Amino acid sequence: MNNFATPFSRPLYVMLKPIGAACNLRCKYCYYLEKKDLYPDSNNYIMPDHILEQFIEQYMNSQTMRQILFTWHGGETLMRPISFYQKALKLQQKYAYGRQIDNCLQTNGTLLTDDWCRFFKENNFLIGISIDGPQHCHDKYRKSKDNRPSFYNVMKGISLLKKHGVEFNVMGVVNDYNVDYPLEFYNFFKEIDCRYIQFAPIVETIDGELAPWSVPAVKWGDFLIAIFDEWVKKDVGQFYIQYFDSTLANWVGQKPGVCTLAKTCGHAGVMEFNGDVYSCDHFVYPEYKLGNIKNQTLTEMMYSPKQLKFGTDKFDSLPTQCQTCKYLFACNGECPKNRICTTSTGEDGLNYLCEGYYKFFDHVASYMEFMKNELKEERPPANIMNSSLVDVL
């Protein structure tokens, strides 16, 4: 059944941007700082209190589930004071009506303090930390406004999270540089004992040309394979890597945990500091604006014909090469923002990362089949580590 046939049977997600595109860093590959250009008349990008309350009330009212997740994103979220989030928590309770509320906040980690970490621990926040691997990888592109490296301050922030027992995971951007260090990248996260690891390939264009920091497509596949081979030998069930979990989910016919590999998209929007709602965090452009919370409800915008079409277009617009690919079920054409290439027959809409993904799926197919069978028999997928399949690695 199409996911959009019964839209209210699943959670609605709208990521919140309380500080808009403002940030204390100037990461070379950042795609979001330019979003300030959408609001040239703004003196600041701070979300007003009335917009915050309107969002929380509408967001809570739009949910049909007992558990509600708020996701705070930037820019840099910690450029708003603790008092802002204290106010948000009070508003959440005001409109909760007995439902469970969870909060996830993404940060670059450089502004973390003891006070912040105590607040997160006391209020059960899950913190996402952006870090691109060991120091030489991270500091390649993630620098301050005055071009200073940020690795030391991020690691200091992670130490504070650990000190206060705050749950966290990591998000690492894979670019043209750190893609050459897959095992060093992976082992770094294991060394800091991060059990939940997300990474994302950077694919950006500048004036129609591929940005130099974009990850080479084939190397992206090699990167995934190198880490997978290490993980499948000894870390299954111990370290959770979003891409591998999502690949297995697609293999068994379940919804993947990462939207890029899902068949449809559009259920996760984003709201800017002034109440403007867009189809997706990667599609904050005028043509993808759904409206403003001051004039329309989140439910009206997120379940509008425009947004539903945005979601189904992901699959419906695939070129023939993708439609006939044996790994269509695993990839689903990946993210539409990366469909900047043409097929061998000249059709538009081929994903830039296609070659890398195909190489990865081809490599892991037998392992995924094994784990799929283990799940079918109600046995743990971690049994793969004791199978003959890993002997050849």
Side-chain angles (χ1 to χ4, degrees), residues 117-179:
C117 292
R118 277 190 289 266
F119 170 76
F120 292 142
K121 179 63 176 178
E122 289 168 1
N123 294 286
N124 198 34
F125 272 64
L126 170 63
I127 303 302
I129 294 286
S130 300
I131 184 168
D132 291 352
Q135 185 170 9
H136 72 100
C137 292
H138 178 88
D139 283 340
K140 175 70 175 178
Y141 292 120
R142 298 188 67 84
K143 296 183 179 181
S144 65
K145 293 179 181 180
D146 55 359
N147 205 37
R148 294 184 182 183
S150 64
F151 180 81
Y152 173 79
N153 287 331
V154 179
M155 290 302 295
K156 182 180 177 182
I158 290 175
S159 295
L160 288 172
L161 291 172
K162 289 182 175 181
K163 171 185 171 182
H164 292 277
V166 179
E167 186 178 356
F168 74 97
N169 56 33
V170 295
M171 167 60 80
V173 170
V174 183
N175 53 60
D176 68 310
Y177 180 79
N178 62 4
V179 71

Side-chain angles (χ1 to χ4, degrees), residues 132-379:
D132 291 352
Q135 185 170 9
H136 72 100
C137 292
H138 178 88
D139 283 340
K140 175 70 175 178
Y141 292 120
R142 298 188 67 84
K143 296 183 179 181
S144 65
K145 293 179 181 180
D146 55 359
N147 205 37
R148 294 184 182 183
S150 64
F151 180 81
Y152 173 79
N153 287 331
V154 179
M155 290 302 295
K156 182 180 177 182
I158 290 175
S159 295
L160 288 172
L161 291 172
K162 289 182 175 181
K163 171 185 171 182
H164 292 277
V166 179
E167 186 178 356
F168 74 97
N169 56 33
V170 295
M171 167 60 80
V173 170
V174 183
N175 53 60
D176 68 310
Y177 180 79
N178 62 4
V179 71
D180 290 328
Y181 303 92
L183 294 185
E184 191 176 346
F185 179 94
Y186 178 45
N187 288 328
F188 166 78
F189 292 124
K190 290 175 62 177
E191 288 166 8
I192 64 174
D193 198 32
C194 182
R195 298 280 164 167
Y196 296 88
I197 305 169
Q198 303 174 62
F199 39 79
I202 187 72
V203 180
E204 295 294 335
T205 57
I206 302 174
D207 297 327
E209 299 294 328
L210 193 68
W213 45 81
S214 296
V215 61
V218 175
K219 284 189 175 184
W220 169 240
D222 293 336
F223 176 90
L224 291 173
I225 289 169
I227 295 178
F228 179 86
D229 287 352
E230 183 75 5
W231 174 79
V232 81
K233 284 187 291 187
K234 53 189 177 184
D235 293 333
V236 182
Q238 298 297 316
F239 289 87
Y240 297 88
I241 300 176
Q242 188 182 43
Y243 263 106
F244 302 161
D245 290 348
S246 293
T247 298
L248 180 57
N250 276 341
W251 233 270
V252 301
Q254 299 296 318
K255 294 177 183 177
V258 58
C259 62
T260 55
L261 299 185
K263 183 176 181 179
T264 57
C265 56
H267 77 287
V270 58
M271 192 182 86
E272 281 289 347
F273 68 99
N274 69 339
D276 285 346
V277 177
Y278 293 85
S279 293
C280 170
D281 186 40
H282 287 279
F283 286 84
V284 179
Y285 300 103
E287 60 267 37
Y288 295 99
K289 180 179 171 181
L290 300 174
N292 189 285
I293 199 170
K294 291 177 287 188
N295 306 315
Q296 297 167 272
T297 67
L298 290 173
T299 301
E300 289 171 335
M301 289 184 279
M302 291 301 294
Y303 294 127
S304 66
K306 179 177 181 178
Q307 182 67 355
L308 297 182
K309 186 176 186 300
F310 173 82
T312 56
D313 276 353
K314 178 181 181 182
F315 189 83
D316 294 345
S317 63
L318 286 171
T320 304
Q321 179 176 321
C322 295
Q323 294 175 19
T324 57
C325 177
K326 66 178 180 178
Y327 294 124
L328 172 61
F329 73 95
C331 171
N332 289 305
E334 212 248 0
C335 184
K337 82 175 184 66
N338 295 334
R339 297 179 186 178
I340 58 177
C341 298
T342 56
T343 68
S344 58
T345 59
E347 266 191 281
D348 290 332
L350 182 67
N351 196 292
Y352 165 78
L353 296 169
C354 172
E355 193 173 358
Y357 274 115
Y358 192 98
K359 189 174 185 180
F360 168 66
F361 293 135
D362 220 32
H363 178 81
V364 304
S366 59
Y367 303 95
M368 291 296 163
E369 287 294 334
F370 181 96
M371 291 189 283
K372 174 183 177 179
N373 187 65
E374 293 301 287
L375 287 169
K376 181 180 178 181
E377 299 298 328
E378 299 184 346
R379 297 190 294 258

